[in-house]
Amino acid sequence: MTPLADATPAGTLTTPAPLTDAQVAERVAAGHVNHVRRASSRSLGAILRANVFTLFNLILAIAAALVLATGSWPDAVFAVVMVVNAGIGIVTEYRAKRTLDHLSLLTESPARVRRSGADGAREVEVSLAEIVLDDVLLLATGDQVPADGSVLEVAGLEIDESMLTGESRSVRKQVGDDVLSGSVVVAGSASVHVTAVGADSYAQRIATEARRFSVARSELRDGINKVLAVVSVAIVPIALLLAWSQLRATGGLSESVSSGAWRDAVVAAVAGVVGMIPEGLVLLTSLNFALAAILLARQGVLVQELPAVEVLARVDVLCLDKTGTITDGTIGLRDRHVVLPGDGADDAARASRVDGALGVLAALAADPGANATALAAGEGIDQAPATATDAVPFSSARKWSAVRTAEHAYVLGGPDILLGGRDDDAARDTLAVVRSAAGEGARVVLLAEAPAGLPDPDHPLPRDLVPAVVCVLGEHVRPDAEQTLAYFHQQGVRTIVISGDDPETVGAIATGVRSGGPDQGDAPLAGYDARQLPAVADVDGKPDPEQLAALAEVLDEHGVYGRVRPEQKRAIVHALQSRGHVVAMTGDGVNDALALKDADLGIAMGNGAPATKAVARLVLVDGRFSTLPGVVGQGRRVMANMERVAGLFLTKTTYAALLAVAVVLLAVPYPFLPRHLTIVSSLTIGIPAFFLALPPNDTRYVPGFLRRVLTYAIPSGVVIGAGVLTAYLVSRAQGDPTVEARSVATLVLLALALWVLGIAARPWQHGRSWRFWLVIAMAACAAGAWAIPFARDFFALEVLDAGQLTLAAVVAVVGWALIEIAFRLIGSRARHPAIS
C-alpha cells in the first residue's frame, strides 16, 4: 500500500501531491474514509428496550402468565395496561427520533478536493463520506469543514469555530494552522491537507464521548420504581402464601386439584397480588408525560425522553451558553456615532451621504459569501443606498472594504487599520469613541471618506482618510432573552452564563439581559476568566471531589464566565451537582455536548450540532429561548397533579398488601373477586385520577414527592384495610354467605376509597367546584352498580339487608373519621402546596 502522506509542518508551504484514484481506493480499503455514524438520536432498539424491559412490565407479565395458565383469560385483562404503557413511550419517543433525524447541521452539499488523474491535478466534487485521509480539500467562504486538516495555501481564510470552542469571533488562519471539522469558513479560501477523518476527527471524538447513553433522572419515575421494587420483593412470598391460603379455604390441595378449584385459588391469589401493584399510576404517568410532550411539540419543543418534562420543574440552576442561546450567533448594530467636521457647515448633507455609503456597503454585503460586518453596519438605514460605481471587496488580509459612489469614496474597516499611526485631532477624537465602545466588549468598525478616491487594494491605505461614522457592533441578543431570564429569577432559579468568548464581551452581554437577577442592580457584571478556574481531574473515572469543591466555591461567587473550554463546561455541571443542585444546561455547539449529557436536563437548539441534539433531553426546534417557561409549566403540571393522584394508587397498594397478609394469616377466602376490585379501582382511582391529573397547575415544585405521598397514603390504606377486613369478618361471623360478605366488604371499600378521593380533590373552591361534582358523580355510579340489575349481576353484587347495611354504614363512618384525623394530623403537613 502507498504510505500515507505526513501532515504538513506548520509554517511551511510544502504541498503534498494530490491523491491518485489508486491511492484513494487504498485508503478506502483501509478504512481511512470520512464516514461517520450520523444518527442524531437514540436508536429504535434503545427506545424499545427502555420502554419494554422494565420492572413494572416484568411483574405484570408474570402475573398475566399465571392467570392465562389457569384458562381464565378475562381475568388477565390487567396486562393491557402493560402494553398501553409501553406503547405510549415507544410511539412518543420514536416520533421525537424521526424529527431529530431531520435536524442536521452539516449539509450534504458536495466537497471539493484536488486529485491526480491522467491529465494531471484536477478539482473534483465528492460527497462528505468520500473524503479520505491525505486528500487536498478546497475550502471557500460559506463551506463547512468536513474533516480535520492543516492549511496548505491560504487567501484571507477566517474560520468560525463557535460550534467547537464556543468562541463566537472568527479565527484567522495561516499556512500550517489546523482547521477542525464542524467549523465554518466565514471569509477567504484555502487548500487543506486532510489529517483526520471520520471518527478520528475532533468533532466526532467529542460526539462519541457524548453518545454514551444516560437517562434523565425523574423523581416521579424513581419514586414509582422504589414502590415497585418493594412490591417486587414482597410479591413472590405473598403470592405463594396467598395461593396456599386459598387452597386451604377450598378444602386443601388434593381436593382442590381433583375438583379444579385450584384455578380459582390461583386467580384469587393473582388478584390479591396485582392489587398491590400501582399499575394505573405508571400508565397515568406515561399518559401525562405523553400529553406534555404533545403540547410542547406544538410550541416547538421536542421531548426526546418523556420524563424530561418534569426535570425543568425541579431545576434550581440554569447554565446558559451565550452564543446560540442568549444571542443568535449573528452580528447586529448596537450604536452608530457620526463624526462631524465640527464647523456645522454641511452636517446634514454629509450625514446623508454617509448613510448612503453605508447603505450601498450593506447592499453589497447581502450577496452570498460577502462580509457580514458591512451588513450589520448598515442596519436601520431608511434611505435608499447610493449607486456604487466601483468597490473593493472585504479581505481579512487587508481588514477593510471600500466603495465609490458618484460623489465620494469610502473605506470600511477596523479603526486601528484606517487610522493607524495618526495623531491628529480627528483620529484622537474618533479613537476615544472607539475605546469607550470596545471597553464594553463590543466590536467597532469605522467608515471613513477617501478624498483621493478609491484606495488601491495592492497598496497601503492613504493617511488622509476622514473619519465619518463609528459603528458599534455586537452579537444579536435574542429579543426574548431578558424576559425569559427574569421569569427564571422569579421562580428562584439561578442563571449562570458561560461562553468561549472574551470575559469582557460575555460580561457586557450578560449585563444587558440582566442575568444577575434582581440583585444585579445597575452595576455591570464582570466576566470571570475561566482560564483561572481550578482544574478538575478524573480519579478512577470520576471527578476529584476536592477539586470539584474548589470549583464549586468559585461558582458560588460568580455568575458569568468567558474563555470556557468544553471540558470546563462539563466540570461546572459536575461541581454544581456536587452541591445538590439540579442543573439544566443549554447549548448548540459540539463543545456543549458533554455538558448537556451530564446535566440533569440538557436543552439543545434546533439549529445545533447533531451530537448536541443527540444527547439533549429537550430540543428547541425553532431555537426560541422563550419557550422554556412553557416547559416549566408542563413540568409543574405533571409533578403537582401526579402527586395529587399518586396518593390514591399508593393507598390501594397499602390496603391490598394488608388484606393479602391478613387473608394468609386467617386462611379465609379473599374478600373480593377481581371484578369487585375493578369497579372500586375504576370509580375511586382510575377515572377520577385521569381528570385530576390533566388541569393546568403552575405551583412551584418542592422536592420529596415520594415521602409526602406515603405520609398520607399509608395511614389511609391501613384504615381502609382494617375497615374492610372488620366488615368482612363480622359479616361472615353473623352467618352471611361468602358472596354477601364480599358485597359488604365492597360497599365499605367504595365508601372509604371515595372519602380518600374527596381529600385528593380538595380544595373545591375558587373555580374548582368541578372536582366536588366529580366525586359526587363517582359515588352515583357506585350506587348505580347496586341499583341497576344488569350491573349488579355483572359485578357479582348482592342486595344487602338492613343489618348488613347498618354494619357497612357504621364501619364507613368510623373509617371516614379516622382517615380525616390521620390526614389533618399527619398528611396535611407533608402535602405539596399545590394540593394542601
Side-chain angles (χ1 to χ4, degrees):
M1 176 178 175
T2 304
L4 299 179
D6 294 331
T8 304
T12 71
L13 291 173
T14 303
T15 302
L19 298 178
T20 64
D21 292 342
Q23 290 173 322
V24 170
E26 290 173 350
R27 283 156 175 77
V28 171
H32 300 299
V33 65
N34 197 43
H35 176 74
V36 295
R37 174 174 165 240
R38 294 288 307 282
S40 62
S41 55
R42 287 166 49 180
S43 66
L44 178 59
I47 293 173
L48 289 172
R49 288 192 296 273
N51 287 278
V52 173
F53 299 108
T54 66
L55 177 62
F56 162 72
N57 287 347
L58 176 63
I59 294 173
L60 285 187
I62 293 174
L66 290 173
V67 172
L68 291 175
T70 68
S72 182
W73 63 266
D75 288 313
V77 72
F78 59 82
V80 174
V81 175
M82 172 182 66
V83 177
V84 174
N85 180 61
I88 289 171
I90 291 169
V91 171
T92 305
E93 293 189 24
Y94 183 69
R95 288 183 63 187
K97 168 189 164 56
R98 290 289 303 273
T99 303
L100 274 177
D101 286 344
H102 290 87
L103 294 173
S104 178
L105 175 67
L106 287 173
T107 63
E108 294 300 330
S109 58
R112 294 182 302 123
V113 297
R114 187 181 294 151
R115 288 181 178 170
S116 180
D119 300 329
R122 69 190 191 283
E123 292 184 10
V124 296
E125 288 189 347
V126 297
S127 69
L128 303 183
E130 292 175 330
I131 299 171
V132 299
L133 192 66
D134 292 323
D135 254 331
V136 176
L137 182 66
L138 305 178
L139 299 175
T141 302
D143 289 345
Q144 185 169 49
V145 182
D148 294 358
S150 179
V151 176
L152 299 172
E153 303 164 318
V154 65
L157 181 67
E158 290 190 15
I159 298 287
D160 177 1
E161 297 179 340
S162 61
M163 280 291 179
L164 304 175
T165 66
E167 166 66 72
S168 62
R169 293 176 185 263
S170 59
V171 180
R172 187 177 180 184
K173 297 290 184 178
Q174 303 293 347
V175 171
D177 288 346
D178 292 331
V179 293
L180 302 175
S181 57
S183 56
V184 179
V185 179
V186 295
S189 60
S191 62
V192 173
H193 172 220
V194 175
T195 57
V197 292
D200 294 329
S201 65
Y202 177 79
Q204 289 303 318
R205 289 199 303 271
I206 294 180
T208 300
E209 173 68 17
R211 284 191 184 104
R212 295 178 183 175
F213 180 68
S214 62
V215 296
R217 180 185 174 276
S218 163
E219 185 170 349
L220 184 57
R221 182 182 58 190
D222 289 349
I224 295 173
N225 285 341
K226 287 179 181 178
V227 173
L228 289 178
V230 173
V231 170
S232 66
V233 171
I235 204 168
V236 174
I238 289 179
L240 294 175
L241 291 172
L242 194 57
W244 171 75
S245 71
Q246 297 306 289
L247 289 171
R248 284 181 59 196
T250 55
L253 179 61
S254 58
E255 183 176 339
S256 297
V257 171
S258 61
S259 65
W262 68 270
R263 293 183 176 86
D264 295 333
V266 170
V267 171
V270 169
V273 169
V274 170
M276 297 167 52
I277 305 173
E279 74 278 3
L281 178 59
V282 181
L283 175 58
L284 190 58
T285 300
S286 296
L287 282 170
N288 228 333
F289 281 153
L291 175 63
I294 293 171
L295 295 176
L296 290 173
R298 294 176 180 174
Q299 302 174 34
V301 179
L302 188 62
V303 180
Q304 288 222 71
E305 295 176 51
L306 292 183
V309 298
E310 81 164 66
V311 180
L312 196 53
R314 298 189 284 110
V315 164
D316 59 358
V317 178
L318 176 62
C319 294
L320 303 163
D321 178 53
K322 175 187 70 67
T323 305
T325 302
I326 295 178
T327 67
D328 60 13
T330 62
I331 301 173
L333 180 71
R334 290 189 186 176
D335 202 358
R336 188 185 291 120
H337 302 277
V338 178
V339 181
L340 300 175
D343 55 13
D346 195 22
D347 289 354
R350 187 169 186 268
S352 178
R353 291 197 306 271
V354 167
D355 282 352
L358 283 173
V360 70
L361 282 165
L364 293 173
D367 295 334
N371 180 19
T373 301
L375 187 62
E379 276 187 16
I381 294 178
D382 295 329
Q383 81 176 58
T387 301
T389 59
D390 199 359
V392 177
F394 176 81
S395 164
S396 59
R398 291 188 301 270
K399 295 288 186 182
W400 58 268
S401 60
V403 65
R404 181 169 58 198
T405 66
E407 299 175 332
H408 294 276
Y410 294 90
V411 182
L412 181 69
D416 56 332
I417 302 296
L418 274 57
L419 303 178
R422 287 174 51 177
D423 193 29
D424 54 88
D425 291 342
R428 285 194 299 270
D429 293 343
T430 302
L431 292 176
V433 176
V434 170
R435 284 191 293 269
S436 175
E440 299 177 358
R443 186 183 309 181
V444 182
V445 294
L446 173 66
L447 179 72
E449 292 184 11
L454 196 69
D456 187 339
D458 297 323
H459 291 81
L461 285 171
R463 296 179 60 83
D464 61 348
L465 298 179
V466 180
V469 178
V470 175
C471 298
V472 181
L473 309 178
E475 289 184 83
H476 262 135
V477 175
R478 295 183 183 273
D480 53 7
E482 183 175 352
Q483 181 180 359
T484 305
L485 289 176
Y487 169 83
F488 281 108
H489 295 148
Q490 292 170 1
Q491 304 305 315
V493 178
R494 182 189 176 201
T495 59
I496 297 177
V497 179
I498 56 180
S499 174
D501 274 353
D502 180 81
E504 192 174 12
T505 301
V506 183
I509 292 176
T511 300
V513 296
R514 302 190 63 79
S515 71
D519 297 333
Q520 176 179 327
D522 297 327
L525 298 174
Y528 189 95
D529 193 330
R531 291 171 292 190
Q532 307 302 319
L533 286 174
V536 178
D538 283 350
V539 178
D540 297 329
K542 296 182 179 180
D544 182 87
E546 293 184 1
Q547 294 175 337
L548 270 185
L551 176 57
E553 289 181 4
V554 178
L555 296 174
D556 288 341
E557 298 177 2
H558 302 276
V560 180
Y561 299 88
R563 301 298 183 203
V564 183
R565 300 189 306 274
E567 61 272 17
Q568 286 181 308
K569 294 183 179 182
R570 193 181 198 184
I572 287 173
V573 169
H574 290 163
L576 291 168
Q577 290 172 330
S578 70
R579 292 290 181 94
H581 294 294
V582 180
V583 183
M585 170 80 187
T586 70
D588 64 343
V590 175
N591 65 98
D592 303 317
L594 297 179
L596 262 66
K597 182 179 80 73
D598 288 356
D600 296 281
L601 181 65
I603 306 168
M605 298 297 167
N607 61 345
T612 307
K613 292 180 291 190
V615 300
R617 316 296 186 192
L618 302 176
V619 178
L620 308 184
V621 177
D622 54 7
R624 289 191 298 118
F625 189 34
S626 59
T627 56
L628 286 183
V631 180
V632 174
Q634 287 299 326
R636 288 180 173 177
R637 181 188 64 79
V638 170
M639 290 300 292
N641 288 344
M642 288 308 301
E643 182 167 333
R644 179 187 298 278
V645 302
L648 301 176
F649 292 95
L650 297 185
T651 297
K652 173 194 169 188
T653 298
T654 302
Y655 69 66
L658 179 62
L659 288 174
V661 173
V663 166
V664 168
L665 296 177
L666 298 174
V668 295
Y670 194 71
F672 305 108
L673 295 175
R675 65 193 73 181
H676 294 149
L677 294 177
T678 296
I679 188 174
V680 172
S681 297
S682 298
L683 296 181
T684 65
I685 303 174
I687 296 174
F690 177 80
F691 289 100
L692 292 174
L694 298 183
N697 194 326
D698 200 35
T699 305
R700 186 181 303 178
Y701 175 71
V702 178
F705 154 77
L706 184 60
R707 175 184 56 80
R708 287 193 301 271
V709 172
L710 290 177
T711 298
Y712 67 92
I714 290 178
S716 299
V718 170
V719 171
I720 292 177
V724 168
L725 191 62
T726 298
Y728 179 66
L729 294 178
V730 170
S731 180
R732 286 177 57 84
Q734 292 175 346
D736 294 337
T738 299
V739 63
E740 294 183 2
R742 282 174 169 167
S743 294
V744 172
T746 302
L747 181 58
V748 171
L749 179 58
L750 275 168
L752 296 180
L754 283 170
W755 193 271
V756 174
L757 172 62
I759 291 176
R762 298 175 189 171
W764 297 337
Q765 68 275 17
H766 305 303
R768 303 184 184 96
S769 60
W770 63 270
R771 296 177 184 171
F772 171 78
W773 293 110
L774 175 66
V775 177
I776 296 301
M778 295 301 100
C781 290
W786 261 276
I788 301 174
F790 169 78
R792 185 171 62 246
D793 294 339
F794 180 82
F795 288 108
L797 298 172
E798 295 294 322
V799 177
L800 303 179
D801 59 28
Q804 293 165 337
L805 287 174
T806 301
L807 170 63
V810 170
V811 174
V813 171
V814 173
W816 290 343
L818 292 176
I819 291 173
E820 190 68 25
I821 291 172
F823 170 71
R824 293 181 181 274
L825 293 181
I826 302 174
S828 61
R829 291 198 300 270
R831 298 191 82 186
H832 190 284
I835 53 178
S836 295

